[in-house]
Amino acid sequence: MTLALDARRRAMLEEMGVVLFEHPAHSGDMHDTPPAPPRRAGGTADLRPARADAAPASAASLLPPDDAATQSAPVAARVRLPGIEAMDWDALEQAVAACRACKLCESRRNTVFGVGDRQAEWLLVGEAPGENEDLQGEPFVGQAGKLLDNMLGALGLNRHERVYIANVLKCRPPGNRNPQPEEIAQCEPFLRRQVELLRPKIILAMGRFAVQTLLQSTEPIGRLRGRVHRYHDVPVVVTYHPAYLLRNLPDKAKAWADLVLAQSVLRGEA
Ligand code: SF4
């Protein structure tokens, strides 16, 4: 355990909108003792909005998380590869790469399977690839990815160790439009198998479509935050999508509180 925050983590926390005022007697290490939620009056920690010059979002969902509207359109009957429930990681990745179960296969450049540690305790679930993700075949690149990396860094994590990142949809919706129900229904078995293979200790559901898919709930994120939910017996904590946070900077502090809750659940403290 270190006696004070190192400069790198402090910078990451500040990017997250968290400004720490360490009490003279404070000796907590970020990894072992994450900052508490806001205590503006007389506490040792304060959560403030970060700077307002972040770049615009590029990920798939740019709507406020409380917007309950979804798009729907007929889709031709398509066939997904059978046997997903028995696939190992490599077979599953190949199945996604070959998948033509919804019309997104026609416009994608790359499938975006997921990235990270296949023994991870943390599973972060976003919504769908954006333009950069479609180009690179990796989730959460670009500005939203940078913010997500900073969020992870503030907890002493990174996307390659103890963390796995996946999306509900593995292919980019054209023009970053919202995922459609038929697309989610076709793609969800891949995510479910990823959860089965990973067996994470905590899932962080980021954004409306991740939350709706995992929790089968249309309640606004604002009402689902701060509680522990379940997806096939795995604890789930709900938070905002990083792309949304880029446009709603004051909510970064709420996202930080969600991360702290998720870490507490993982440690059996909540
Ligand atoms: S989004 Fe999912 S279901 Fe649709 S083609 Fe891509 S991998 Fe298949």
Side-chain angles (χ1 to χ4, degrees):
M1 177 184 295
T2 58
L3 293 179
L5 292 170
D6 62 40
R8 184 167 168 269
R9 283 195 184 172
R10 183 180 293 280
M12 288 174 170
L13 282 167
E14 288 176 1
E15 174 65 24
M16 278 293 300
V18 179
V19 180
L20 291 176
F21 297 97
E22 288 182 271
H23 188 280
H26 174 72
S27 63
D29 175 79
M30 278 299 301
H31 186 74
D32 297 322
T33 310
R39 284 180 287 167
R40 289 190 178 278
T44 58
D46 192 6
L47 302 176
R48 295 177 177 176
R51 58 187 169 78
D53 59 353
S58 63
S61 174
L62 300 181
L63 291 180
D66 290 353
D67 180 357
T70 56
Q71 299 179 29
S72 179
V75 59
R78 296 171 186 266
V79 178
R80 200 190 317 104
L81 280 175
I84 289 175
E85 65 282 357
M87 289 180 181
D88 63 15
W89 278 109
D90 290 342
L92 190 66
E93 187 163 9
Q94 288 168 20
V96 167
C99 182
R100 301 190 65 78
C102 81
K103 62 182 178 293
L104 297 182
C105 68
E106 294 165 4
S107 53
R108 73 185 177 210
R109 291 186 180 90
N110 290 292
T111 53
V112 181
F113 179 69
V115 68
D117 182 352
R118 290 180 176 179
Q119 311 288 327
E121 301 165 314
W122 290 78
L123 172 61
L124 276 55
V125 179
E127 298 181 356
E131 183 178 13
N132 292 323
E133 290 79 9
D134 179 53
L135 281 171
Q136 298 183 36
E138 180 169 330
F140 288 97
V141 295
Q143 289 299 315
K146 184 174 172 229
L147 175 59
L148 182 61
D149 287 339
N150 284 335
M151 292 164 70
L152 292 173
L155 289 174
L157 301 169
N158 68 71
R159 64 170 64 202
H160 300 294
E161 296 175 46
R162 298 176 56 207
V163 173
Y164 194 88
I165 304 172
N167 282 315
V168 171
L169 291 186
K170 312 305 187 194
C171 303
R172 180 195 181 204
N176 290 350
R177 66 158 170 73
N178 288 337
Q180 296 179 353
E182 295 86 353
E183 295 158 359
I184 292 174
Q186 289 288 45
C187 213
E188 192 271 343
F190 293 127
L191 177 63
R192 194 186 325 144
R193 187 59 185 158
Q194 285 176 307
V195 174
E196 290 169 355
L197 290 167
L198 194 62
R199 290 183 292 169
K201 291 184 178 171
I202 186 73
I203 296 174
L204 191 67
M206 302 183 295
R208 173 158 57 97
F209 292 100
V211 169
Q212 288 182 355
T213 302
L214 292 172
L215 302 187
Q216 295 294 297
S217 169
T218 56
E219 272 198 76
I221 287 178
R223 280 202 228 127
L224 294 168
R225 289 184 53 251
R227 292 186 272 147
V228 181
H229 307 269
R230 294 264 161 190
Y231 176 79
H232 295 277
D233 287 335
V234 181
V236 177
V237 169
V238 166
T239 194
Y240 298 110
H241 194 284
Y244 167 82
L245 294 174
L246 288 174
R247 297 181 303 115
N248 296 272
L249 299 176
D251 282 342
K252 281 185 179 179
K254 293 179 184 173
W256 175 246
D258 298 334
L259 282 173
V260 171
L261 172 61
Q263 188 170 61
S264 298
V265 172
L266 189 148
R267 292 175 176 170
E269 299 166 355

